[in-house]
Amino acid sequence: MYKPKDINNFYTINDIAIMSKSYFKDYPIFLWQIKENLLIMGYPKNSMDKYNLHIPSNVKNSVPIIYIYIIILNTVILTILTIGLNRVLNKPLNRLIKGIFSLKFEKETSLKEKGIYKDLADSINEISKIIVDKIKKIKLRNHAIENWIAAISHDVRTPLSMILGYSAMIKDDDSLPKEVREEAKIITENSLRIKELVTNLNLATSLQCNMQPLTLSIVKLTDVVNEAITSCKNSGIVRNCNTEIIIEDEDITVMVDRGLMLRALINIITNSVNYNKEGCSIKAVVPKECTKSKHATIVISDNGTGIPQDRLDIINGDGGYQKAMNKRQGLGLIIVRSIMNVHHGKLSIENGMEKGVNVTLRIPKVS
């Protein structure tokens, strides 16, 4: 064991007292009593630090209370910091949230935030300007369309009514040659066709632009179906076709615009006739729904040649109105889809497994 030269082999009581202070001649000292002897162990100078800690008994007994005070103080400080940070961070955040909600009501926002929220505020401001600008353009477009519809109705229907009146007079005048009366009949039929096209165009445009007013009432589906078939028979639309009505539920009711729903059914029947010039059988069914079902159903089917797939894709796809206009195709079933949309209903059009077309209308029923 190494012993420094400045350490004696014998110690006085005074030396032992100094050693009890933890150091002796700057050497860290540890003392142990072994029976009647005293073991002294020293470490090299500056190898460790030793401290004598003196705590009064009353302080020692109050340590738990001090810890409680420290915890309470920390809690108060954290609470103050939290409230302060919430005011600093949440106040501008609440303004941003209000700005986002204002977009829902198509209002322009002007947020003036700084710091970490500046980029987000600028983006919200830019989006609101884009939305407001587009809404203005849509309103201008709808106004122009509305004026155009009014002009079409006046400028076309008025002279058309005169043509129909005169052609009907010529057609029914027995004093005129048969050839003249036949030509007048052709004029009348084509004039009626033009009138129907104008009506379809106006209705389709109004429905697409949400300008068609709805007169809702509770009606029985059986009444609408019967009226549609009767109207088609009286007008001669189905003169080459056999019609059948199957009613499985007499009492099922829906909240609809009766005129528009009647128009939808007539358009479906007319479509079947147009695609089957040689005639076909047309069946209208009102099936019985289960009590839990939220929809009433009408199924109109025929056993004809069906609808070409490219035409079906246009009718069932998005933007059917514009595609039909671009390809100069009829608007009958496009109008049916628009009528179902304004009634929050569903329309399914598909060719049969072997032949014919199945058209299914599902309309929210009245509880």
Side-chain angles (χ1 to χ4, degrees), residues 83-328:
I83 294 173
L85 287 174
N86 281 337
R87 289 185 177 179
V88 172
L89 297 177
N90 287 351
K91 193 173 182 180
L93 188 59
N94 288 334
R95 288 196 293 267
L96 291 174
I97 293 172
K98 289 180 180 178
I100 293 173
F101 272 112
S102 68
L103 299 179
K104 177 181 178 181
F105 301 101
E106 303 173 357
K107 295 181 180 179
E108 185 173 353
T109 59
S110 180
L111 301 172
K112 298 178 181 178
E113 300 298 338
K114 299 179 181 179
I116 60 175
Y117 296 121
K118 184 179 184 303
D119 292 339
L120 181 58
D122 292 341
S123 297
I124 294 173
N125 291 338
E126 185 177 352
I127 291 172
S128 72
K129 289 179 181 178
I130 293 173
I131 291 175
V132 171
D133 184 57
K134 286 188 175 181
I135 290 171
K136 288 180 180 178
K137 290 179 179 178
I138 290 172
K139 288 182 178 179
L140 288 173
R141 185 200 67 181
N142 289 346
H143 184 65
I145 292 173
E146 188 177 0
N147 291 337
W148 178 77
I149 291 174
I152 287 291
S153 298
H154 181 269
D155 295 343
V156 175
R157 287 184 178 182
T158 301
L160 198 59
S161 297
M162 297 180 65
I163 294 172
L164 283 170
Y166 285 118
S167 64
M169 290 174 59
I170 296 172
K171 178 174 68 71
D172 296 334
D173 191 345
D174 295 334
S175 64
L176 295 174
K178 183 178 180 180
E179 293 80 5
V180 174
R181 285 186 282 123
E182 288 294 332
E183 291 175 354
K185 181 180 178 182
I186 294 173
I187 292 173
T188 300
E189 290 175 352
N190 282 279
S191 297
L192 288 171
R193 185 184 176 194
I194 293 172
K195 184 178 180 180
E196 184 70 13
L197 289 173
V198 171
T199 302
N200 280 344
L201 183 60
N202 290 345
L203 180 58
T205 305
S206 297
L207 290 170
Q208 288 292 319
C209 298
N210 296 320
M211 295 188 300
Q212 178 67 30
L214 295 179
T215 305
L216 298 176
S217 61
I218 298 176
V219 299
K220 285 186 176 182
L221 279 188
T222 55
D223 294 342
V224 181
V225 171
N226 285 322
E227 186 177 352
I229 296 293
T230 302
S231 176
C232 290
K233 287 181 177 180
N234 292 339
S235 63
I237 293 175
V238 293
R239 58 180 173 270
N240 295 328
C241 301
N242 297 319
T243 58
E244 181 183 3
I245 301 175
I246 300 176
I247 306 296
E248 297 179 1
D249 190 341
E250 292 276 356
D251 300 322
I252 192 164
T253 56
V254 291
M255 176 76 75
V256 295
D257 185 308
R258 187 186 184 96
L260 286 180
M261 190 56 58
L262 183 63
R263 181 58 180 272
L265 298 181
I266 292 175
N267 279 12
I268 295 170
I269 296 169
T270 302
N271 184 79
S272 293
V273 174
N274 290 340
Y275 277 98
N276 301 281
K277 298 296 185 182
E278 297 180 358
C280 64
S281 295
I282 299 174
K283 183 189 296 183
V285 181
V286 179
K288 189 173 184 64
E289 299 286 346
C290 66
T291 55
K292 293 182 179 180
S293 176
K294 296 181 179 180
H295 290 82
T297 304
I298 302 174
V299 180
I300 299 178
S301 58
D302 64 58
N303 62 349
T305 58
I307 301 176
Q309 189 59 46
D310 59 339
R311 174 68 176 150
L312 268 182
D313 292 340
I314 291 175
I315 296 169
N316 291 324
D318 295 331
Y321 170 76
Q322 190 60 47
K323 291 178 182 178
M325 293 296 293
N326 292 342
K327 294 192 175 186
R328 293 174 172 81

Side-chain angles (χ1 to χ4, degrees), residues 327-349:
K327 294 192 175 186
R328 293 174 172 81
Q329 296 184 351
L331 293 170
L333 294 181
I334 302 297
I335 290 174
V336 176
R337 180 168 292 281
S338 297
I339 291 173
M340 294 304 295
N341 288 339
V342 299
H343 287 95
H344 307 290
K346 299 177 182 179
L347 175 68
S348 171
I349 305 173

Side-chain angles (χ1 to χ4, degrees), residues 21-70:
K21 301 289 187 179
S22 299
Y23 284 91
F24 182 72
K25 295 183 178 181
D26 296 329
Y27 293 98
I29 297 298
F30 291 89
L31 301 175
W32 287 277
Q33 182 181 359
I34 300 177
K35 295 183 179 180
E36 296 179 354
N37 299 314
L38 187 64
L39 175 62
I40 302 172
M41 180 180 292
Y43 286 83
K45 293 180 180 180
N46 302 320
S47 61
M48 66 172 61
D49 294 325
K50 295 186 67 179
Y51 299 94
N52 288 320
L53 182 62
H54 304 279
I55 300 176
S57 298
N58 58 343
V59 173
K60 180 180 178 181
N61 295 331
S62 62
V63 165
I65 298 176
I66 293 174
Y67 284 149
I68 293 173
Y69 285 152
I70 292 174

